[in-house]
Amino acid sequence: MGKELDVMYLVSKYIIICFGLFLIYSGFLMFFNPEKARTVIGKAGSTFAINYGELIIRLLLGISFVITSKTNTYEQYFTIFGYFLIISAVILMLIPMKTHHKFSTKAAETLKPIYLRICAPFSIGFGILILLAIFK
């Protein structure tokens, strides 16, 4: 059973690496093309595939953080963040899709390009911190 756990840990680690890279990419998108970022945000919950695809990815990411937390220097942070992602994914799965989409549409309208540009360095920084933490 040790090999299965090693594979699970390795897959979880790669999922987190992809998430860190995604945050960095998203930060650059928010800075250089905020209108595109707003469009993507506004699509959350718009179709069955987008809604549950996003939530399943969030759930798997949360599980990955919890799995890798056991061998990580930042165990407490990974555990808290992982459970936050898991719980939020489950809650959003229980909320009607229309409500989720309505919220994301409102958020996309509220987020002006300047706000996204201001948030971009935080997304990039958080992505870099995740990559540094996963390799430490």
Side-chain angles (χ1 to χ4, degrees), residues 82-102:
Y83 280 115
F84 169 78
L85 289 171
I86 292 167
I87 292 166
S88 64
V90 171
I91 289 170
L92 287 170
M93 285 179 184
L94 298 173
I95 292 174
M97 233 172 51
K98 287 183 182 181
T99 305
H100 186 197
H101 182 59
K102 187 176 176 182

Side-chain angles (χ1 to χ4, degrees), residues 3-119:
K3 286 190 179 200
E4 289 90 8
L5 292 176
D6 289 343
V7 170
M8 190 169 59
Y9 173 78
L10 191 61
V11 169
S12 295
K13 190 173 179 177
Y14 281 116
I15 288 171
I16 294 173
I17 291 168
C18 289
F19 178 61
L21 294 172
F22 168 77
L23 287 176
I24 294 168
Y25 169 78
S26 297
F28 282 107
L29 181 67
M30 288 188 292
F31 189 81
F32 291 110
N33 195 350
E35 288 301 325
K36 177 71 174 172
R38 286 176 68 196
T39 302
V40 172
I41 292 167
K43 289 186 179 183
S46 60
T47 68
F48 185 85
I50 290 173
N51 187 60
Y52 289 101
E54 170 201 347
L55 297 177
I56 289 169
I57 290 170
R58 181 187 297 226
L59 183 65
L60 289 174
L61 184 59
I63 293 167
S64 295
F65 270 98
V66 172
I67 289 170
T68 58
S69 72
K70 307 295 185 248
T71 59
N72 193 285
T73 306
Y74 303 100
E75 178 180 356
Q76 184 177 11
Y77 299 109
F78 271 48
T79 302
I80 291 168
F81 190 61
Y83 280 115
F84 169 78
L85 289 171
I86 292 167
I87 292 166
S88 64
V90 171
I91 289 170
L92 287 170
M93 285 179 184
L94 298 173
I95 292 174
M97 233 172 51
K98 287 183 182 181
T99 305
H100 186 197
H101 182 59
K102 187 176 176 182
F103 174 79
S104 65
T105 303
K106 178 87 169 146
E109 291 169 3
T110 305
L111 291 170
K112 305 293 181 225
I114 188 68
Y115 301 155
L116 290 171
R117 285 192 172 112
I118 290 168
C119 290

